[in-house]
Amino acid sequence: MKIGNVEVKVSIISIGVFVFFTLFLIVASLYSPEVRSNLIWLIPVLFMLLVIPVALNYMSRSQYAELEPEYERQAKTVRVKLINENMIGKIVRIDGVVERVHFQFLNRPQYSVADRSGAISVKMFTSPDEDIKVNDVVEVLGQVIRRYIVTGEPVVNCVSIRKKRAPVSNDD
Amino acid sequence: MTRSEGTIQSGSNNQRYLEFAIPISSFGATLIGVLIWQMGFEINFQFFSLGCVIGSCLLAYLAWIRPKKDIVALSTPIYAFIFFVVPTDYMSGLTLQLLYAISLTLLLIRLKHRFGMSHTAVSLGKELATPLKAYVEQNPDAFTGISPDAAHRAAMVISLFSTGEYGEAARVVTAITGQQEIPTAFPYLTRAFEIVHEHAIILEQSLPRPETYQTFLPEDEYLLANPQHLEYSEDRKFDTTFDNALLLLFSVAWNNAPADRLHLLTCQQFILKLLAE
């Protein structure tokens, strides 16, 4: 679904919650006259279950879209090995291969991206523009943060992850 | 035994006691509660959940002091509060406390196996890790005569690289090589600075690897940490050359600028990654 220039994606969890409560409401309204009398406000509330995640996704994606040019300007291309805890807050660009993908169904994907020097966790707090899968060659733009904000190893808080057409050098 | 080793040993013993204290406090308090009830004193069984709460706090503490954090163990005090804040009767309280104590014990085993050891003098930045120490102490004679000022500049370059300030690192190297501060007796040091300078510019401007680039000479090999293998691709050779140059500068700084050692220790995790080929 596209709102303005922003491609909005609703997570499967949000759709699942909406479908579950819709079915629940249908069944309840068939058996209970009390529920039927309250449908006038229950149906809008039901739709809010879909509208709120869509609105949140729209807001986060448009925010990320605004940040991307600035990150593009500031980012330095580094090897994964060079990222360390003294670089917290720095904006980096890494090129690598996606080794693992987690939590994509929550619209909060977490990738493990590896280059020839090592692998690093890449967290994204919204859905990416493209559908990123394992073994895709990608370019990641993001900021180095700690895994749990104040503690933990360095990870990349991703603002943009894009598939690269040219493969990264395959070696060793 | 040095003072630092003694402190680590004592810290390790304390942690062992804390690890034992988790199942002892969580199962023990519930067991005491059962015994008291058997004796006919029907005190509110919720009070005996205190052992589980204490066990959760100890587990969270043990998770906190590890370099690699376990979010599940860290959050157990919150769960203890949620589970035990509500008053329960004897049977359900007993079941809940026993299940909780079993969970804490399993989480403790998981913490020990999956999240490694607690902080050491190395992870706390108090001393060099063994492989790095072995490397910097490998050729002390080779660095005799390098001025503390040149070594201090090397420490600055390491620090700037670890923080991602590549442009600034390039400027510092230009200042050193431009003012000819490095004695001619140490050509490998000049080469290391030149290699680092080239990489600093490439990183700062996000440039691709050049076709030809600065390298060490075969006579420098005995000073280098990571050997260059013939089967390496050109990209990897390029990276290894850079890693070796930074490691060599670290070694020079460590041996010839003792005042900068504390600062160098803060860059240790970064340098160790370069060493781990």
Side-chain angles (χ1 to χ4, degrees), chain B residues 15 20 22 36 42 84 96 108 149 163 230 264 267 273:
Chain B
Q15 274 175 49
F20 283 124
I22 292 169
I36 289 173
E42 295 193 354
F84 300 119
L96 186 62
L108 175 66
D149 196 43
T163 52
L230 286 173
L264 288 168
C267 309
K273 286 210 275 184

Side-chain angles (χ1 to χ4, degrees), chain A residues 72 74-88 90 92-93 115-117 119-120 147-148 150-154 168-172, chain B residues 64 67-71 74 161-167 203-204 206 231-233 235-236 238-240 242-243 246 266-267 269-270 273-274 276-277:
Chain A
E72 193 78 58
Q74 288 188 30
K76 288 167 189 168
T77 307
V78 294
R79 279 185 290 149
V80 166
K81 207 187 223 183
L82 296 181
I83 297 174
N84 69 93
E85 56 188 30
N86 294 346
M87 280 178 75
I88 301 293
K90 295 282 175 201
V92 294
R93 180 189 292 109
D115 65 10
R116 61 179 179 271
S117 71
I120 193 162
R147 183 175 287 281
Y148 306 118
V150 291
T151 186
E153 76 274 20
V168 290
S169 66
N170 182 21
D171 60 289
D172 316 314
Chain B
W64 179 255
K68 198 175 168 192
K69 310 290 182 201
D70 175 11
I71 192 79
L74 280 171
F161 260 94
S162 82
T163 52
E165 299 290 343
Y166 307 120
L203 285 163
E204 178 64 18
S206 296
E231 67 271 20
Y232 280 0
S233 68
D235 281 330
R236 192 159 178 192
F238 180 65
D239 294 344
T240 308
F242 169 61
D243 295 349
L246 275 184
T266 64
C267 309
Q269 294 306 323
F270 164 65
K273 286 210 275 184
L274 306 182
E277 274 284 299

Side-chain angles (χ1 to χ4, degrees), chain B residues 72-85:
Chain B
V72 181
L74 280 171
S75 56
T76 51
I78 300 165
Y79 288 106
F81 177 77
I82 293 166
F83 289 154
F84 300 119
V85 73

Side-chain angles (χ1 to χ4, degrees), chain A residues 21-125:
Chain A
F21 281 103
T22 305
L23 293 174
F24 185 76
L25 189 63
I26 291 168
V27 173
S29 60
L30 285 176
Y31 289 97
S32 165
E34 203 179 330
V35 172
R36 277 200 295 274
S37 64
N38 284 313
L39 279 179
I40 191 127
W41 64 267
L42 281 173
I43 290 171
V45 166
L46 193 65
F47 275 95
M48 291 307 278
L49 288 176
L50 214 52
V51 171
I52 290 171
V54 167
L56 288 174
N57 189 260
Y58 170 78
M59 286 192 288
S60 63
R61 284 178 61 80
S62 54
Q63 182 101 41
Y64 273 54
E66 280 171 24
L67 285 173
E68 205 177 315
E70 185 58 23
Y71 270 61
E72 193 78 58
R73 196 178 61 77
Q74 288 188 30
K76 288 167 189 168
T77 307
V78 294
R79 279 185 290 149
V80 166
K81 207 187 223 183
L82 296 181
I83 297 174
N84 69 93
E85 56 188 30
N86 294 346
M87 280 178 75
I88 301 293
K90 295 282 175 201
I91 293 166
V92 294
R93 180 189 292 109
I94 52 174
D95 295 331
V97 180
V98 177
E99 287 189 331
R100 280 194 300 273
V101 182
H102 300 294
F103 308 124
Q104 206 147 26
F105 63 96
L106 287 174
N107 268 359
R108 298 284 184 276
Q110 195 171 318
Y111 309 96
S112 174
V113 176
D115 65 10
R116 61 179 179 271
S117 71
I120 193 162
S121 197
V122 172
K123 286 180 161 192
M124 198 165 189
F125 293 94

